[in-house]
């Protein structure tokens, strides 16, 4: 009896090759998971979820009353207080009930004298757990320049810009003299460095808080600052200038200043309330 498939080769599994393929596939899968996983937990509030004016009030009351800002925000959220109802006076009065509170349990205990409704207290307890990310951005930072600067809320974030097409301004312009040293607001890693038509000589730093800090219009960089460099809070990274709005090397199209931007999940957020708080922590630099 003839066998018609006797000429077919028998293939054996190459275990070494199979193991290599499995390892490569696992690494690729892990890379995809890392790249597609949000840097910030979905349970946490984003900065974009809270109006800049509202954050500014809470930050000011914390400085004035010594009560953590997010205790006040948690209470307002639980009560459904709209942005236009949040004020320094209102938050200061609520802060009086929270003086000395050291943790969430103490907040809930002390706030009973303000409102002891069970549903309200439960809502506050849930809110208190959602501010860790924003508080990490707010706390333990320094201002990106030393002295000799000015900036404002009214002519900053969201303003109209036309160079390069109709667009909105995605940062705060801090006016200063050319050559003023610029510093890292926190520990982080340099992700971008080099020329952009709109930003001129720029640096982008990914902070340990997952925020991308963008410095634009530099006149020059501090030596040894490269892509991939790790920087420390307060470290000089470059010097303010007037570069940008043209081909590489263009300058003089506007007054010297630092364009300072903050990006959360690649979306521009308003740096103003944070800058106002960080002004109390400035680095003294000998130029």
């Amino acid at each position: 009896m003839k066998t018609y498939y006797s000429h077919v080769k028998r293939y054996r599994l190459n275990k070494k090759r199979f193991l290599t393929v499995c390892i490569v596939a696992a690494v690729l899968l892990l890379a995809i998971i890392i790249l597609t996983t949000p840097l910030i937990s979905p349970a946490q509030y984003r900065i974009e979820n809270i109006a800049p004016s509202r954050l500014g009030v809470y930050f000011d009351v914390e400085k004035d009353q010594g009560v953590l800002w997010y205790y006040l925000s948690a209470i307002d959220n639980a009560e459904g207080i709209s942005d236009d109802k949040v004020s320094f006076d209102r938050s200061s009065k609520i802060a009086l009930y929270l003086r000395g509170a050291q943790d969430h349990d103490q907040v809930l205990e002390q706030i009973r004298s303000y409102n002891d409704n069970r549903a309200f207290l439960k809502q506050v307890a849930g809110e208190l757990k959602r501010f860790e990310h924003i508080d990490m951005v707010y706390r333990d930072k320094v201002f990106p320049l030393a002295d000799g600067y000015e900036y404002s809320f009214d002519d900053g974030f969201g303003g109209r810009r036309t160079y390069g097409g109709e667009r909105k301004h995605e940062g705060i312009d801090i006016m200063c003299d050319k050559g003023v040293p610029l510093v890292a607001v926190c520990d982080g890693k340099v992700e971008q460095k080099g020329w952009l038509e709109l930003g001129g000589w720029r640096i982008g730093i990914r902070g340990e808080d997952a925020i991308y800090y963008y410095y634009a219009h530099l006149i020059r960089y501090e030596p040894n600052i490269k892509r991939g460099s790790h920087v420390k809070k307060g470290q000089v990274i470059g010097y303010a200038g007037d570069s940008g709005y043209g081909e590489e090397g263009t300058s003089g199209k506007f007054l010297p200043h630092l364009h300072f931007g903050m990006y959360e999940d690649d979306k521009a957020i308003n740096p103003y309330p944070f800058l106002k708080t960080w002004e109390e922590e400035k680095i003294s630099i000998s130029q």
Side-chain angles (χ1 to χ4, degrees):
M1 183 176 181
K2 290 185 177 181
T3 302
Y4 294 98
Y5 52 82
S6 59
H7 65 286
V8 178
K9 294 182 179 179
R10 294 177 177 270
Y11 287 92
R12 294 184 177 180
L13 179 66
N14 186 315
K15 294 183 179 179
K16 186 176 181 180
R17 181 180 299 172
F18 178 73
L19 182 60
T20 300
V21 170
C22 288
I23 292 174
V24 171
V27 170
L28 290 174
L29 179 60
L30 180 61
I32 292 172
I33 292 173
I34 292 174
L35 291 174
T36 56
T37 299
L39 294 174
I40 306 163
S41 167
Q44 294 289 306
Y45 281 124
R46 265 62 170 174
I47 296 169
E48 65 171 313
N49 298 141
I50 306 179
S53 58
R54 191 170 185 137
L55 279 177
V57 168
Y58 297 143
F59 294 166
D60 286 345
V61 174
E62 175 175 318
K63 287 185 290 183
D64 186 66
Q65 299 285 345
V67 173
L68 295 180
W69 71 268
Y70 58 87
Y71 292 173
L72 305 168
S73 186
I75 291 168
D76 280 348
N77 287 359
E79 289 192 306
I81 302 299
S82 59
D83 293 339
D84 62 319
K85 298 296 183 182
V86 174
S87 69
F88 183 85
D89 288 343
R90 181 183 187 279
S91 294
S92 294
K93 290 176 182 178
I94 295 175
L96 295 177
Y97 293 91
L98 303 174
R99 287 284 189 87
Q102 299 296 317
D103 55 39
H104 294 184
D105 289 338
Q106 288 187 15
V107 170
L108 295 174
E109 185 60 36
Q110 291 178 211
I111 204 62
R112 289 178 186 275
S113 58
Y114 168 76
N115 185 339
D116 64 353
N117 180 276
R118 182 176 297 181
F120 167 74
L121 294 173
K122 183 177 180 181
Q123 181 68 23
V124 171
E127 289 288 326
L128 287 171
K129 300 175 183 178
R130 303 189 64 189
F131 294 98
E132 181 180 347
H133 160 63
I134 301 178
D135 194 58
M136 186 182 298
V137 178
Y138 162 79
R139 216 164 290 283
D140 196 31
K141 300 292 194 300
V142 296
F143 199 75
L145 295 86
D147 293 312
Y149 60 84
E150 61 180 28
Y151 64 104
S152 70
F153 179 80
D154 295 331
D155 188 28
F157 185 85
R160 181 172 176 265
R161 296 292 187 271
T162 57
Y163 181 86
E166 194 74 23
R167 58 192 173 85
K168 290 184 177 181
H169 193 227
E170 294 188 344
I172 294 290
D173 286 341
I174 306 174
M175 310 308 295
C176 60
D177 292 333
K178 188 180 291 187
V180 170
L182 309 175
V183 303
V185 298
C186 63
D187 293 354
K189 181 179 180 180
V190 177
E191 285 193 355
Q192 298 292 342
K193 176 193 172 189
W195 183 266
L196 282 180
E197 182 178 354
L198 293 179
W201 301 114
R202 65 46 162 118
I203 294 179
I205 297 173
R206 180 72 61 182
E208 292 185 348
D209 53 13
I211 298 296
Y212 181 76
Y213 295 95
Y214 177 69
Y215 300 69
H217 308 312
L218 278 65
I219 188 174
R220 62 187 175 92
Y221 300 108
E222 182 71 1
N224 301 321
I225 296 294
K226 303 176 181 178
R227 287 186 63 178
S229 297
H230 289 274
V231 295
K232 292 292 185 180
K233 180 179 70 173
Q235 179 179 339
V236 176
I237 57 175
Y239 301 84
D242 57 356
S243 63
Y245 280 26
E247 62 184 14
E248 184 171 324
T250 299
S251 63
K253 297 289 187 179
F254 39 73
L255 293 174
H257 68 279
L258 166 66
H259 168 97
F260 183 77
M262 293 171 61
Y263 291 81
E264 179 185 58
D265 292 336
D266 297 325
K267 182 175 181 179
I269 56 175
N270 193 334
Y272 186 81
F274 297 94
L275 288 169
K276 293 300 292 182
T277 296
W278 301 341
E279 274 194 278
E280 295 187 357
E281 299 293 335
K282 290 195 286 282
I283 298 297
S284 178
I285 300 170
S286 298
Q287 299 187 48

